[in-house]
C-alpha cells in the first residue's frame, strides 16, 4: 500500500511541476520587460492619444505594426489580452505601436464621438507620429487591425501606401455584420430558426428606419445616447469600394469559426475586390480559429465576457499558445516578406 502511495505522490508531484512550468511559461507572454519600451503620444483634433511603442532589443530597422483596435472602450493592451500577440510579434522581430482609444486610459477625447473616417484619420496620425521618431523608416511601418478596423484600414490604404496592412476578422458591411452577430447569438440561446429569421427581419426594418440619415432620430431609444450617435454614424458603412482601392501589401485573415463576422461571405468580398491575389495580397481562412484567431476548440465565444471563469486562467497559462496553430507565424512571415 505504501508503495502505491509513493507512486501516486510522485506522479502528482510531476504533474504539479509540469503545471507550474506551463503557467509560468504562459505568464511570460504577459510581460514586456524583455523588450525596448517607449511611451509615445500624438494629437488629433482636440484629443491627445497616448500609447506604447514596443521594439525588439538591438533590432536595426525592424518592421513596425500599428495596432488598430476593434469596437469598444479598449486601452492599448486590450486589458492585457493583446500582450501575448504583442510579445509573439516582437520576439519575431516586429515592433508594435498600440495606443489607448480616445477617452480610455491616458488618452483624452471620446471614442464614441468618432466616425470610421475619423478612426482612419487617427491611424494616419499615429503613423505620422511613429515615422517622425529617430531611426524609424516609414517604409517599414504598417498596420495590424481587428474587426471594426475593416471599415478603417481600407480607407487608410486608399490614401497612402502602407508598408503592409494586416486585417484580422475584418467586417465589410456594418448592417450585415450586426445581422450575422445577432443570428449567432440567438442560435446559441436556443431560439428556433424560424423565430430567429422573423426577429432579424423585424430588427432590420426597425434599424433601417431608426438610422435613416434623412430623418431625425426618435427622441428615445434603448441605446445609450452616445452609443446611439456612434452607431448612427456607422450603420450604413460598407467597405467594398474602399477594399478595391487598397494600396500596398494586404493580408486579410479570418478564423474559420468566427462567431462575430461572417468570415465566408466577407472573405469572398475581399477576394473579389483585391484581385488579382498575389504573394503580397492574400486572403486567408484559418481552421479552428475564432474572431481573434484564438483556438476555437477552447475560446470560441463572441465576447471575452462570455468566457466561463476558468478559461481566463487557461488563457493566462497558454499565452501565445492560445492562438490557432500557425496563425501568428503566418502573419509574422507575411509581414517580413512584405518589407524585404
Amino acid at each position: 500500500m505504501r508503495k502505491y502511495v509513493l507512486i501516486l505522490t510522485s506522479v502528482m508531484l510531476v504533474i504539479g511541476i509540469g503545471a507550474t512550468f506551463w503557467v509560468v511559461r504562459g505568464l511570460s507572454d504577459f510581460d514586456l520587460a524583455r523588450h525596448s519600451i517607449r511611451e509615445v503620444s500624438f494629437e488629433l483634433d482636440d484629443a491627445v492619444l497616448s500609447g506604447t511603442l514596443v521594439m525588439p532589443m538591438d533590432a536595426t530597422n525592424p518592421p513596425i505594426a500599428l495596432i488598430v483596435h476593434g469596437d469598444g472602450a479598449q486601452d492599448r493592451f486590450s486589458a492585457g489580452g493583446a500582450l501575448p500577440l504583442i510579445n509573439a510579434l516582437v520576439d519575431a522581430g516586429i515592433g508594435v505601436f498600440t495606443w489607448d482609444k480616445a477617452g480610455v486610459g491616458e488618452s483624452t477625447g471620446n471614442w464614441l464621438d468618432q466616425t470610421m473616417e475619423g478612426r482612419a484619420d487617427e491611424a494616419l496620425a499615429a503613423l505620422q507620429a511613429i515615422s517622425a521618431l529617430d531611426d524609424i523608416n516609414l517604409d517599414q511601418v504598417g498596420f495590424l487591425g481587428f474587426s471594426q478596423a475593416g471599415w478603417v484600414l481600407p480607407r487608410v490604404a486608399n490614401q497612402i501606401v502602407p508598408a503592409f496592412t494586416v486585417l484580422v476578422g475584418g467586417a465589410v458591411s456594418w448592417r450585415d455584420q450586426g445581422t450575422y452577430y445577432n443570428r449567432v447569438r440567438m442560435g446559441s440561446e436556443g431560439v428556433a430558426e424560424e423565430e430567429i429569421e422573423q426577429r432579424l427581419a423585424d430588427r432590420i426594418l426597425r434599424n433601417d428606419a431608426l438610422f435613416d440619415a434623412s430623418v431625425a432620430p426618435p427622441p428615445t431609444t434603448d441605446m445609450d445616447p452616445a452609443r446611439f450617435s456612434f452607431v448612427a454614424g456607422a450603420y450604413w458603412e460598407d467597405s467594398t469600394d474602399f477594399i478595391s482601392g487598397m494600396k500596398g501589401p494586404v493580408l486579410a485573415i479570418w478564423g474559420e469559426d468566427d462567431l462575430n463576422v461572417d468570415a465566408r461571405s466577407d472573405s469572398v468580398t475581399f477576394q473579389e475586390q483585391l484581385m488579382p491575389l498575389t504573394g503580397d495580397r492574400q486572403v486567408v481562412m484559418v481552421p479552428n480559429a475564432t474572431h481573434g484567431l484564438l483556438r476555437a476548440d477552447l475560446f470560441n465565444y463572441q465576447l471575452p465576457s462570455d468566457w466561463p471563469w476558468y478559461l481566463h486562467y487557461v488563457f493566462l497559462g497558454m499565452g501565445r499558445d492560445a492562438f490557432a496553430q500557425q496563425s501568428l507565424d503566418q502573419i509574422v512571415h507575411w509581414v517580413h516578406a512584405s518589407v524585404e
Side-chain angles (χ1 to χ4, degrees):
M1 183 66 179
R2 183 179 179 185
K3 176 182 177 181
Y4 292 117
V5 171
L6 289 173
I7 292 173
L8 180 60
T9 301
S10 299
V11 169
M12 294 301 294
L13 181 61
V14 170
I15 292 173
I17 293 172
T20 301
F21 177 80
W22 177 68
V23 171
V24 170
R25 157 68 176 78
L27 288 176
S28 69
D29 277 341
F30 293 86
D31 183 4
L32 298 175
R34 62 184 179 274
H35 306 307
S36 173
I37 298 175
R38 179 176 181 179
E39 300 302 301
V40 179
S41 296
F42 61 96
E43 297 182 7
L44 179 68
D45 299 327
D46 296 329
V48 177
L49 291 305
S50 299
T52 300
L53 176 63
V54 188
M55 297 287 280
M57 287 289 193
D58 304 319
T60 303
N61 196 31
I64 301 174
L66 276 56
I67 303 290
V68 176
H69 297 300
D71 195 12
Q74 297 198 49
D75 63 31
R76 66 194 71 184
F77 300 129
S78 297
L83 289 171
L85 168 68
I86 293 171
N87 268 305
L89 294 173
V90 180
D91 285 346
I94 299 172
V96 173
F97 178 56
T98 180
W99 62 96
D100 299 331
K101 277 191 170 184
V104 180
E106 298 177 21
S107 292
T108 64
N110 187 347
W111 66 274
L112 285 170
D113 291 338
Q114 294 180 314
T115 61
M116 296 303 108
E117 185 176 358
R119 293 205 64 197
D121 291 341
E122 181 181 282
L124 288 167
L127 175 68
Q128 184 176 15
I130 294 302
S131 61
L133 300 176
D134 294 338
D135 301 322
I136 299 296
N137 183 350
L138 180 60
D139 293 338
Q140 297 287 106
V141 184
F143 295 94
L144 171 57
F146 297 85
S147 192
Q148 196 177 93
W151 299 295
V152 178
L153 292 183
R155 274 186 165 87
V156 171
N158 269 251
Q159 298 181 54
I160 63 168
V161 184
F164 55 87
T165 300
V166 180
L167 190 53
V168 177
V172 174
S173 162
W174 182 290
R175 183 173 178 266
D176 291 349
Q177 188 269 329
T179 299
Y180 177 84
Y181 181 94
N182 281 285
R183 176 179 282 112
V184 172
R185 195 76 172 180
M186 285 187 276
S188 69
E189 293 169 353
V191 180
E193 183 64 28
E194 190 173 311
E195 184 178 352
I196 289 175
E197 295 307 317
Q198 184 59 56
R199 286 191 193 180
L200 289 175
D202 293 344
R203 181 181 182 276
I204 290 171
L205 286 174
R206 182 176 63 254
N207 285 346
D208 284 357
L210 189 64
F211 297 114
D212 186 343
S214 66
V215 298
T220 59
T221 70
D222 293 335
M223 218 180 277
D224 173 81
R227 179 69 184 180
F228 177 88
S229 178
F230 177 76
V231 174
Y235 182 75
W236 298 103
E237 283 286 345
D238 189 308
S239 59
T240 301
D241 291 341
F242 290 109
I243 295 168
S244 63
M246 292 181 75
K247 305 179 184 74
V250 179
L251 172 63
I253 185 168
W254 288 264
E256 195 173 59
D257 300 298
D258 196 320
L259 300 179
N260 294 45
V261 166
D262 190 341
R264 287 164 181 78
S265 174
D266 289 351
S267 64
V268 168
T269 300
F270 269 80
Q271 287 173 342
E272 293 173 347
Q273 298 302 315
L274 288 176
M275 292 294 286
L277 297 179
T278 60
D280 65 349
R281 295 172 74 82
Q282 297 183 11
V283 176
V284 174
M285 192 80 71
V286 181
N288 187 37
T290 71
H291 183 54
L293 300 183
L294 296 177
R295 285 179 48 180
D297 57 326
L298 292 174
F299 299 100
N300 210 16
Y301 296 82
Q302 288 184 315
L303 301 169
S305 58
D306 295 335
W307 290 6
W309 65 268
Y310 61 84
L311 268 189
H312 296 276
Y313 293 98
V314 172
F315 182 66
L316 286 173
M318 294 184 73
R320 73 186 68 181
D321 293 334
F323 286 86
Q325 187 176 18
Q326 299 181 344
S327 60
L328 299 186
D329 287 343
Q330 188 161 16
I331 292 172
V332 165
H333 294 154
W334 183 87
V335 167
H336 280 297
S338 296
V339 299
E340 286 179 351

